[in-house]
Amino acid sequence: MTLDEAIREIQEKITAVSPEAVIRVARISDEEARLSVYAPPEDIQAIKDATFQPVLDLLNEHGLDVQVFPYDITTTPPPA
């Protein structure tokens, strides 16, 4: 699995539980990425729950470190 495939997989899990989420991706290296997720406050826990195990699986099975950082969009707007 490539990093791009892993990012897409995690993005799909996020949008499944929070369709309004705004996702910003920062690629740190060929094996590491950070997803900053700006979502309604009521969706934050669902995002954490939906991505926790898949992120661990990506790290353990593929050596890919995809980090998910959810933010309350009402208090922390996404950067332009």
Side-chain angles (χ1 to χ4, degrees), residues 4-5 7-8 10 14-16 27 29 35 38-39 44 46-47 55 57 60 63 65-66 68 71 73 75 77-78:
D4 287 337
E5 291 169 334
I7 291 169
R8 274 193 302 278
I10 298 302
I14 292 167
T15 56
R27 286 171 181 78
S29 71
L35 277 65
Y38 303 88
I44 298 294
I47 291 167
V55 164
D57 292 343
N60 292 328
D65 186 7
V66 180
V68 177
Y71 298 98
I73 199 167
T75 59

Side-chain angles (χ1 to χ4, degrees), residues 3-80:
L3 182 61
D4 287 337
E5 291 169 334
I7 291 169
R8 274 193 302 278
E9 179 180 311
I10 298 302
Q11 285 176 316
E12 288 171 3
K13 294 192 180 304
I14 292 167
T15 56
V17 296
S18 183
E20 298 174 21
V22 176
I23 304 169
R24 299 286 190 256
V25 177
R27 286 171 181 78
I28 310 303
S29 71
D30 289 342
E31 297 86 25
E32 183 179 359
R34 172 188 171 127
L35 277 65
S36 297
V37 182
Y38 303 88
E42 61 272 12
D43 293 351
I44 298 294
Q45 190 59 51
I47 291 167
K48 290 178 182 179
D49 294 343
T51 59
F52 179 77
Q53 191 61 50
V55 164
L56 286 178
D57 292 343
L58 287 171
L59 184 60
N60 292 328
E61 296 171 15
H62 301 283
L64 298 172
D65 186 7
V66 180
Q67 303 165 23
V68 177
F69 293 89
Y71 298 98
D72 177 347
I73 199 167
T74 62
T75 59
T76 309

